[in-house]
């Protein structure tokens, strides 16, 4: 339901009492509450605000005896590590301290208070426990917001571990007590609410005109004025006069009393009424939040913004701002180093075009008044008890999908119309089926010869490669087109259009993701692994140019000019898909940043370099390949480099999206610079990127499969460290699928790392036990042959120098070591006894407890299972063969769970496979699906399913997809099909046929 306008709120209704709860998450909530509360008070009602915000935020706008302010903080919002970054774990811990541990006393206190003030309606923006307290007090409640904390915290849980998951469930259950949601523009998905009413922007009114404000400040009307609306400036940040273009002035909000400002910066009073200041300015520089975006749109003020890390509502507000041509993104590095000029000058050239309503406060107040006197806006089709169920428990998995849930093409939860339109306009969805891709392929058969001259390589008939080349052609056309100014143009396409010099050669590479059929996390313990390169792949286009001919982005040029230097080699990257995540679409750096004293910087320094701005941390996977080539092979890069990265490999699904990006990037860099590197060496170098520059402790099987794999074959590799045994043909009657649980997987996550550490601890303990046993083995005199077999000195000595845990057989493990290993051990205890766990890519936390037995047992048995699986694949086709293969997958899945690397979503999917596997129909027809397991690093991601290669199996996979969606609200992505690896693809060297030919050399 949407309500855009109303008649003026009636003051004839009976006198009402509203209890209005305000979250402690920034001033944006408080400022919009002001406008709603003001209209309720104008209608003659009492408003009791429950808030932690300063009084002046409310009293500067409302001076009325009907306004009551009660200083209580019932939710802490997000805890910031600094002015631009949320500390996700600290946020969850703080919320637990604020709202979870004292929950019983909070509810008792709030119920008593609500009854004492005789509240007619509870309003929440957007405090979860307020909804539950209202229900306990027998009072109706309504939420007014653009996001909810279940959505925000769900992504934090993905990063912080499952131990905080109950927080998200509790929040969702609290919200489900709310009668309906009044939803503000720029909203996030909020699955916990069943009934929704959309209203216009809620914006504080102006008190004074632009001319009046400028006169009070003593600023002439023709002076360019920027308001720095930061709400907490970065620590140690000192503003400098040269940050502003000549003749500009900057009004600083929230400056400390002790802060000294240059003469072109003016400190505003702490209680300054910012809407008036905003309307009197020419542009605003700050962080995106509801308050800043809504007021920038309402008063048509261009907004130069800097991304904040893990503010998960930001992408939705950002897209709304840019849709109405009101936003310019500033790179954090340029903010902190003072390269403001190109951004400010770009901002004042914008013509913001928001023409929507700004009377959301009045509209919301009217709805709240009508609700308080008995009107029912909520759906009457479902009883409230069912609403509680549908708002939380039905969505237990879907809510915990959180941030990633809304980044998947084909999602069915409502998001703003402008977001969908932008995707459709440029055909960005990766959710098209292989069938539709093939039909598109036929219509593009002549594309390569018509639009590009292929100087080297072959497209291998790959439809996705043809699509990528077609997208390059469209960029060539767009670069000189007036369409560049269309307001719906996605930023990454606009940036990419100016990336290449179309008269020069471009190198294109392709690297697929992989489906972990068997082996998974046992790779770092030296296991045999079986991996299938999937149909989805990453394409990278690279061009190198002399610095004097390189097309620089405006801010990069300004940076070089400020340094007073001539053209220097620069790396510029555009990454497609940023609109589906909260990452920046572009990255650039001077390649000299990788050098110190003429030598490459250390990997540790590089890791810090990329970590300083998490919205651009993704660039470590791509730019990191350059540093590894410099460090390991002594390559020096004297030309500028432009890179376009377009990946169809789903992110965070456990199918090696990161490895495909690394392999495609390094392959393209190598091709463009004439470097001859074998696919195996490419994989090993890319592992260094992930381990040492990204900082993720992964094995090498991902990169090796992406580089060395072949279509319809499993890459068999012993990870000691990377011995490829060969390729195993997938029998024609067998098929593998991947089904995405939707729960984000991160190989850099704490759970994966702790299990890896546990396995290395176990190896160290086993080596120590074997060494002790070998020294105490009795001589053969007087001992029986059984004892000699068990305690063979030769075996014990080999185990005392065990290089890889997987070289220990299951029977030896059970006979000698299983009962000797501790279930778990603290890092401090282990370090005291063993000094080190001998893993170069992980660090033991002395304060943390690590599981040892399960983490050690898994790779030992997994290696055995993979060997058995490989042997079975080549055996005679039979139902018994498939049953045995499926059983090995099931065993692997439950071994993951024993290591605490399972998840609700992947367990549910495996259970659905089992239900179909054991159904009467499957048994009567020799079965179709036979087994399933979680893949990769675990803790969510994708499951691998094995079955017969037949139409009925495909139908059953779709049935699982539909049943999972019905249970969780999330429609899984299906991975089906295989493709060649980067080594077999090679590279394309292309040149646009529409450019001027180069002179022959």
């Amino acid at each position: 339901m949407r309500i855009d306008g109303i008649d003026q709120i009636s003051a004839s209704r009976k006198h009402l009492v509203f209890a209005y709860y305000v979250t402690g998450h920034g001033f944006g909530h408080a400022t919009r509450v002001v406008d709603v509360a003001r209209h309720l008070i104008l209608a003659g009602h009492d408003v009791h605000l429950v808030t932690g915000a300063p009084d002046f935020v409310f009293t500067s706008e409302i001076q009325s005896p009907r306004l009551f302010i009660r200083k209580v903080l019932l939710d802490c919002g997000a805890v910031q590590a600094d002015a631009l970054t949320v500390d996700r774990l600290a946020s969850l811990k703080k919320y637990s301290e604020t709202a979870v541990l004292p929950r019983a006393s909070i509810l008792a206190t709030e119920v008593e208070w609500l009854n004492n003030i005789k509240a007619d309606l509870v309003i929440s923006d957007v405090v979860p426990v307020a909804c539950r307290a209202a229900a306990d007090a027998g009072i109706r409640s309504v939420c007014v917001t653009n996001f909810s904390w279940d959505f925000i915290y769900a992504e934090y849980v993905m990063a912080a571990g499952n131990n905080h998951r109950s927080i998200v469930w509790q929040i969702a259950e609290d919200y489900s007590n709310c009668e309906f949601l009044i939803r503000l523009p720029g909203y996030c998905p909020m699955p916990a609410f069943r009934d929704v009413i959309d209203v216009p922007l809620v914006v504080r009114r102006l008190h004074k005109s632009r001319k009046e404000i400028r006169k009070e400040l003593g600023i002439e009307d023709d002076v360019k004025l920027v308001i720095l609306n930061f709400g907490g400036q970065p620590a140690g940040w000192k503003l400098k006069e040269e940050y502003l273009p000549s003749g500009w002035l900057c009004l600083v909000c929230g400056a400390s009393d002790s802060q000294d400002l240059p003469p072109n910066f003016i400190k505003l009073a702490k209680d300054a009424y910012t809407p008036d200041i905003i309307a009197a300015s020419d542009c605003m520089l700050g962080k995106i939040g509801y308050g800043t975006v809504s007021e920038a749109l309402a008063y048509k003020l261009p907004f130069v913004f800097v991304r904040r890390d893990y503010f998960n509502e930001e992408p939705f507000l950002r897209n709304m701002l840019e849709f109405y041509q009101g936003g310019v993104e500033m790179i954090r590095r340029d903010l902190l180093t003072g390269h403001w000029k190109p951004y400010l000058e770009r901002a004042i050239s914008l013509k913001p075009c928001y023409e929507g309503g700004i009377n959301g406060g009045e509209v919301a107040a009217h709805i709240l008044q009508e609700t308080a006197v008995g009107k029912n806006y909520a759906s009457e089709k479902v009883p409230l008890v069912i609403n509680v169920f549908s708002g939380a428990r039905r969505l237990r998995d879907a809510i915990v999908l959180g941030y990633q849930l809304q980044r998947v093409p084909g999602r069915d939860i409502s998001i703003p119309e402008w977001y969908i339109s932008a995707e459709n306009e440029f055909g960005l969805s990766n959710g098209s089926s292989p069938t539709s891709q093939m039909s598109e392929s036929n219509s593009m058969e002549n594309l390569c010869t018509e639009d590009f001259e292929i100087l080297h390589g072959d497209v291998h008939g790959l439809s996705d490669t043809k699509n990528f080349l077609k997208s390059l052609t469209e960029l060539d056309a767009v670069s000189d087109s007036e369409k560049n100014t269309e307001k719906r143009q996605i930023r990454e396409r606009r940036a990419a259009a100016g990336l290449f010099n179309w008269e020069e050669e471009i190198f294109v590479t392709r690297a697929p993701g992989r489906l972990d059929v068997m082996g998974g996390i046992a790779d770092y313990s030296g296991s045999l692994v079986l991996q299938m390169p999937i149909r989805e792949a990453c394409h990278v286009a690279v061009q190198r140019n002399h610095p004097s001919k390189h097309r620089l982005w405006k801010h990069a040029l300004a940076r070089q000019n400020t340094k007073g230097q001539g053209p220097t080699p620069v790396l510029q990257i555009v990454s497609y898909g940023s609109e589906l995540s909260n990452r920046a679409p572009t990255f650039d750096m001077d390649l000299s940043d990788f050098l110190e004293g003429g030598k490459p910087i250390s990997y540790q320094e590089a890791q810090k370099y990329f970590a300083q701005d998490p919205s651009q941390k993704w660039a470590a996977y791509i730019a990191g390949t350059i540093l590894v080539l410099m460090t390991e092979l002594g390559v020096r890069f004297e030309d500028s480099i432009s890179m376009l990265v377009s990946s169809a490999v789903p992110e965070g699904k456990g199918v090696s999206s990161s490895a495909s990006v690394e392999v495609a990037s390094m392959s393209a860099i190598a091709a463009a610079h004439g470097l001859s590197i074998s696919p195996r060496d490419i994989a090993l170098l890319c592992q260094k990127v992930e381990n040492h520059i990204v900082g993720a402790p992964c094995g090498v099987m991902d990169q090796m499969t992406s580089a060395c794999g072949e279509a319809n074959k499993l890459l068999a590799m012993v990870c000691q460290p990377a011995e490829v045994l060969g390729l195993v043909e997938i029998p024609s009657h067998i098929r593998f699928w991947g089904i995405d649980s939707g729960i984000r997987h991160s190989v850099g996550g704490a759970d994966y790392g702790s299990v890896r550490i546990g396995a290395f601890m176990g190896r160290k303990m086993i080596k120590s036990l074997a060494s002790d046993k070998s020294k105490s083995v009795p001589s053969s005199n007087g001992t029986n042959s059984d004892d000699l077999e068990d305690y063979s000195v030769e075996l014990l000595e080999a185990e005392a120098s065990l290089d890889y845990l997987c070289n220990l057989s299951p029977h030896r493990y059970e006979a000698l070591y299983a009962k000797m290993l501790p279930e778990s051990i603290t890092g401090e205890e282990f370090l005291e006894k063993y000094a080190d766990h001998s893993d170069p890519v992980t660090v033991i936390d002395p304060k943390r407890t690590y599981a040892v037995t399960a983490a050690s047992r898994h790779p030992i048995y997994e290696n055995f299972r993979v060997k058995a699986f490989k042997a079975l694949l080549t055996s005679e086709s039979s139902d018994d063969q498939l049953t045995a293969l499926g059983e090995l997958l099931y065993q692997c899945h439950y071994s993951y769970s024993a290591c605490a690397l399972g998840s609700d979503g992947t367990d549910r999917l495996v259970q659905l496979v089992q239900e179909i596997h054991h159904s009467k129909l499957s048994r009567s027809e020799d079965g179709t699906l036979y087994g399933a397991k979680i893949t990769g690093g675990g803790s969510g991601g994708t499951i691998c399913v094995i079955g017969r290669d037949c139409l009925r199996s495909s139908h059953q996979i779709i049935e699982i997809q539909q049943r999972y969606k019905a249970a969780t609200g999330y429609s899984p992505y299906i991975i089906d099909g295989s493709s060649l690896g980067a080594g077999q693809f090679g590279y394309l060297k292309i040149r646009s046929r529409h450019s001027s030919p180069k002179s022959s050399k």
Side-chain angles (χ1 to χ4, degrees):
M1 183 190 304
R2 178 166 186 87
I3 300 178
D4 290 313
I6 59 161
D7 296 329
Q8 189 170 359
I9 296 176
S10 170
S12 62
R13 297 286 188 176
K14 69 172 186 174
H15 171 257
L16 301 169
V17 177
F18 294 90
Y20 209 144
Y21 289 80
V22 188
T23 184
H25 180 64
F27 278 2
H29 297 264
T31 56
R32 70 190 184 202
V33 163
V34 165
D35 200 58
V36 178
R38 183 175 66 85
H39 284 286
L40 290 172
I41 289 170
L42 286 174
H45 308 306
D46 287 355
V47 177
H48 293 256
L49 296 178
V50 184
T51 179
D55 288 3
F56 75 80
V57 176
F58 307 100
T59 55
S60 61
E61 175 69 0
I62 306 172
Q63 296 89 34
S64 170
R66 295 190 179 277
L67 175 68
F68 303 89
I69 300 176
R70 176 172 166 243
K71 302 307 283 288
V72 179
L73 186 65
L74 298 180
D75 88 56
C76 59
V79 176
Q80 293 190 218
D82 56 45
L84 294 167
T85 307
V86 165
D87 186 325
R88 292 171 288 179
L89 181 57
S91 297
L92 293 170
K93 288 180 176 177
K94 184 68 173 177
Y95 185 85
S96 182
E97 295 168 2
T98 305
V100 177
L101 296 178
R103 179 177 173 81
S105 63
I106 288 173
L107 286 171
T109 300
E110 296 311 303
V111 168
E112 181 181 1
W113 178 74
L114 289 169
N115 287 327
N116 285 341
I117 66 168
K118 296 181 171 55
D120 294 291
L121 185 70
V122 169
I123 313 166
S124 178
D125 184 359
V126 62
V127 181
V129 74
C131 304
R132 176 58 187 272
D136 289 353
I139 303 169
R140 301 168 77 185
S141 64
V142 175
C143 283
V144 183
T145 186
N146 65 306
F147 75 82
S148 56
W149 286 113
D150 54 330
F151 173 74
I152 303 299
Y153 284 159
E155 193 271 341
Y156 297 177
V157 169
M158 297 302 123
N162 293 343
N163 52 317
H164 291 286
R165 182 172 292 192
S166 60
I167 289 177
V168 179
W169 293 344
Q170 184 63 68
I171 289 172
E173 289 182 2
D174 282 348
Y175 284 145
S176 66
N177 289 282
C178 165
E179 194 156 316
F180 61 89
L181 166 68
I182 296 177
R183 187 168 60 182
L184 306 178
Y187 55 82
C188 300
M190 291 178 273
F193 297 99
R194 179 168 57 91
D195 292 291
V196 174
I197 300 174
D198 287 305
V199 299
L201 284 175
V202 176
V203 181
R204 289 179 293 176
R205 60 177 180 163
L206 297 180
H207 292 168
K208 298 176 181 177
S209 69
R210 172 187 172 98
K211 185 170 287 188
E212 288 174 318
I213 291 295
R214 284 191 169 234
K215 185 176 180 180
E216 287 180 7
L217 294 172
I219 299 170
E220 297 296 327
D221 197 53
D222 59 348
V223 173
K224 295 300 179 188
L225 194 63
V226 56
I227 175 172
L228 181 61
N229 195 0
F230 231 85
Q233 296 169 20
W237 190 32
K238 187 173 182 180
L239 298 170
K240 298 179 181 178
E241 187 173 352
E242 59 267 26
Y243 285 9
L244 297 178
S246 177
W248 282 59
L249 291 176
C250 179
L251 304 176
V252 183
C253 298
S256 66
D257 294 336
S258 60
Q259 186 174 4
D260 292 327
L261 297 179
N264 51 352
F265 286 77
I266 300 172
K267 191 181 301 184
L268 291 173
K270 281 189 167 48
D271 59 352
Y273 190 63
T274 51
D276 287 348
I277 308 295
I278 285 173
S281 300
D282 295 289
C283 67
M284 176 160 55
L285 171 57
K287 301 175 292 189
I288 283 182
Y290 180 86
T292 52
V293 169
S294 62
E295 289 172 357
L297 289 174
Y299 303 122
K300 292 184 169 54
L301 185 76
F303 189 175
V304 179
F305 62 88
V306 182
R307 291 189 188 220
R308 297 186 286 178
D309 309 319
Y310 315 121
F311 280 77
N312 299 334
E313 68 274 27
E314 182 178 282
F316 302 89
L317 293 168
R318 185 182 74 228
N319 278 277
M320 181 172 67
L321 181 68
E322 293 181 341
F323 177 79
Y324 292 111
Q325 300 184 65
V328 175
E329 180 177 346
M330 176 184 279
I331 295 171
R332 180 184 301 189
R333 184 172 67 243
D334 287 343
L335 169 77
L336 298 178
T337 55
H339 297 292
W340 295 8
K341 182 178 178 181
Y343 301 99
L344 297 179
E345 290 179 344
R346 169 62 182 148
I348 60 172
S349 73
L350 296 179
K351 299 189 185 321
C353 59
Y354 180 77
E355 299 293 345
I358 58 173
N359 64 331
E362 183 182 4
V363 174
H366 173 77
I367 295 168
L368 294 168
Q369 176 183 265
E370 296 300 297
T371 302
V373 297
K375 184 170 181 178
N376 186 14
Y377 284 93
S379 168
E380 296 181 355
K381 295 178 182 178
V382 185
L384 183 59
V385 67
I386 300 299
N387 185 31
V388 173
F389 181 72
S390 65
R393 297 187 185 95
R394 181 180 65 79
L395 291 166
R396 281 170 82 93
D397 280 340
I399 290 165
V400 177
L401 304 180
Y403 190 55
Q404 278 303 114
L405 176 62
Q406 314 314 324
R407 303 289 185 264
V408 182
R411 56 193 173 277
D412 61 346
I413 291 181
S414 296
I415 58 173
E417 290 74 13
W418 39 260
Y419 197 87
I420 297 170
S421 298
E423 276 193 13
N424 292 342
E425 182 172 349
F426 288 95
L428 289 182
S429 174
N430 291 330
S432 58
S433 67
T435 305
S436 67
Q437 289 178 355
M438 289 305 296
S439 62
E440 290 172 8
S441 173
N442 295 334
S443 65
M444 293 188 295
E445 201 61 46
N446 298 320
L447 167 115
C448 305
T449 53
E450 289 178 1
D451 295 296
F452 284 107
E453 179 184 3
I454 297 182
L455 306 174
H456 177 276
D458 184 0
V459 297
H460 298 279
L462 291 164
S463 60
D464 61 345
T465 300
K466 294 174 183 177
N467 275 317
F468 181 70
L469 293 177
K470 181 183 178 183
S471 75
L472 290 180
T473 305
E474 292 168 348
L475 290 179
D476 189 6
V478 164
S479 63
D480 295 318
S481 169
E482 291 182 1
K483 290 182 180 179
N484 225 8
T485 60
E486 290 183 8
K487 68 181 180 181
R488 295 189 182 186
Q489 180 104 14
I490 290 180
R491 293 168 304 144
E492 59 193 32
R493 295 295 175 104
R494 192 165 61 238
L499 194 61
F500 299 120
N501 180 345
W502 298 104
E503 296 182 356
E504 302 294 332
E505 296 162 350
I506 297 173
F507 294 80
V508 174
T509 54
R510 177 190 184 276
R514 66 97 186 95
L515 182 64
D516 167 35
V517 174
M518 287 293 286
I521 59 167
D523 63 343
Y524 54 67
S525 294
S527 177
L528 173 68
V529 297
L530 295 172
Q531 307 294 307
M532 184 181 81
I534 60 177
R535 185 191 303 270
E536 291 81 359
C538 173
H539 286 85
V540 172
V542 166
Q543 185 178 77
R544 53 185 289 201
N545 282 295
H546 188 275
S548 63
K549 296 181 180 179
H550 191 66
R551 302 174 67 175
L552 284 174
W553 288 325
K554 192 172 183 179
H555 66 272
L557 179 62
R559 188 169 63 238
Q560 288 198 359
N561 289 340
T562 300
K563 292 179 181 178
Q565 60 190 28
T568 58
V570 171
L571 171 66
Q572 293 184 164
I573 307 171
V574 174
S575 171
Y576 282 171
S578 65
E579 296 304 313
L580 304 181
S581 67
N582 191 24
R583 69 168 188 259
T586 62
F587 173 83
D588 69 280
M589 64 178 290
D590 294 340
L591 285 174
S592 59
D593 290 349
F594 275 155
L595 296 171
E596 189 173 327
K599 296 181 179 180
I601 62 174
S602 69
Y603 290 150
Q604 186 177 19
E605 289 174 297
Q607 190 173 342
K608 290 178 181 177
Y609 178 89
F610 289 109
Q612 64 186 348
D613 185 353
S615 73
Q616 292 190 320
K617 189 177 179 180
W618 57 268
Y621 295 97
I622 303 163
T625 62
I626 293 174
L627 180 61
V628 167
L629 289 172
M630 293 170 69
T631 303
E632 305 298 329
L633 301 185
V635 181
R636 292 295 178 265
F637 297 91
E638 297 178 354
D639 287 339
S640 289
I641 301 171
S642 295
M643 301 183 71
L644 174 62
V645 181
S646 176
S647 180
V649 183
E651 294 181 33
K653 310 301 183 188
V655 290
S656 299
S657 58
S658 60
S660 65
V661 168
E662 291 157 356
V663 170
S665 297
M666 185 170 287
S667 298
I669 292 289
H673 291 82
L675 305 175
S676 180
I677 309 174
S678 71
R680 181 182 183 275
D681 288 341
I682 287 275
L684 292 171
L685 290 168
C686 287
Q687 186 194 16
K688 290 183 180 294
V689 175
E690 186 130 10
N691 286 172
H692 302 301
I693 298 179
V694 175
C698 71
V700 74
M701 70 178 188
D702 301 354
Q703 291 83 1
M704 200 65 74
T705 308
S706 187
C708 304
E710 292 186 16
N712 301 313
K713 296 178 182 178
L714 301 181
L715 181 78
M717 182 178 73
V718 175
C719 303
Q720 300 190 15
E723 181 187 351
V724 176
L725 298 184
L727 296 155
V728 181
E729 195 88 36
I730 299 174
S732 59
H733 67 287
I734 291 177
R735 192 168 179 178
F736 296 102
W737 294 267
I739 307 179
D740 158 40
S741 68
I743 296 178
R744 185 173 179 84
H745 152 85
S746 173
V747 76
D751 289 334
Y752 173 92
S754 65
V755 173
R756 175 171 176 144
I757 289 171
F760 275 84
M761 285 177 164
R763 185 184 67 128
K764 189 84 168 191
M765 292 176 183
I766 287 170
K767 289 174 67 174
S768 177
L769 288 167
S771 178
D772 292 343
K773 284 180 181 293
S774 68
K775 295 172 184 175
S776 60
V777 172
S779 65
S780 60
N781 297 329
T783 58
N784 60 47
S785 59
D786 289 340
D787 289 337
L788 282 174
E789 184 178 350
D790 285 343
Y791 292 97
S792 162
V793 174
E794 188 176 316
L795 274 174
L796 289 169
E797 286 178 347
E799 287 158 6
S801 58
L802 194 65
D803 288 332
Y804 294 95
L805 196 52
C806 285
N807 290 341
L808 182 66
S809 64
H811 78 271
R812 290 287 292 178
Y813 169 74
E814 292 293 347
L816 299 182
Y817 305 112
K819 295 178 182 178
M820 304 289 288
L821 294 182
E823 195 81 20
S824 62
I825 190 172
T826 66
E828 186 175 23
E829 289 176 298
F830 179 86
L831 292 170
E832 283 180 6
K833 187 170 183 180
Y834 299 99
D836 184 28
H837 65 323
S838 303
D839 179 13
V841 298
T842 57
V843 177
I844 294 174
D845 181 353
K847 297 180 181 178
R848 184 164 187 174
T849 299
Y850 296 93
V852 175
T853 303
S856 302
R857 190 178 192 275
H858 175 81
I860 293 169
Y861 277 85
E862 182 70 358
N863 189 39
F864 174 79
R865 285 189 288 262
V866 183
K867 290 178 178 178
F869 194 95
K870 181 174 179 285
L872 279 167
L873 275 177
T874 57
S875 66
E876 185 180 349
S877 171
S878 68
D879 192 58
D880 287 342
Q881 177 206 31
L882 280 162
T883 299
L885 289 168
E887 180 61 28
L888 289 169
L889 260 65
Y890 286 139
Q891 287 182 18
C892 173
H893 179 78
Y894 291 112
S895 185
Y896 262 82
S897 297
C899 293
L901 287 175
S903 73
D904 294 344
T906 49
D907 286 347
R908 185 189 293 272
L909 284 170
V910 170
Q911 183 179 351
L912 289 171
V913 172
Q914 289 177 339
E915 289 172 5
I916 286 178
H917 177 191
H918 297 296
S919 68
K920 289 182 179 179
L921 188 59
S922 287
R923 290 201 304 271
S924 66
E925 298 186 9
D926 294 329
T928 49
L929 303 182
Y930 285 85
K933 62 175 275 285
I934 193 172
T935 64
S939 298
T942 295
I943 69 162
C944 172
V945 182
I946 187 172
R948 288 190 184 278
D949 186 7
C950 62
L951 184 61
R952 187 158 167 270
S953 295
S954 296
H955 288 162
Q956 288 179 331
I957 292 292
I958 293 171
E959 180 185 344
I960 290 170
Q961 181 187 46
Q962 292 170 342
R963 289 172 64 181
Y964 187 82
K965 179 182 176 182
T968 68
Y970 174 75
S971 181
Y973 185 98
I974 304 298
I975 292 166
D976 185 9
S978 179
S979 67
L980 50 77
Q984 196 175 17
F985 180 88
Y987 68 90
L988 299 176
K989 181 163 70 171
I990 62 175
R991 186 192 300 137
S992 173
R993 287 188 178 275
H994 307 298
S995 64
S996 304
K998 290 174 65 177
S999 59
S1000 58
K1001 295 181 181 178

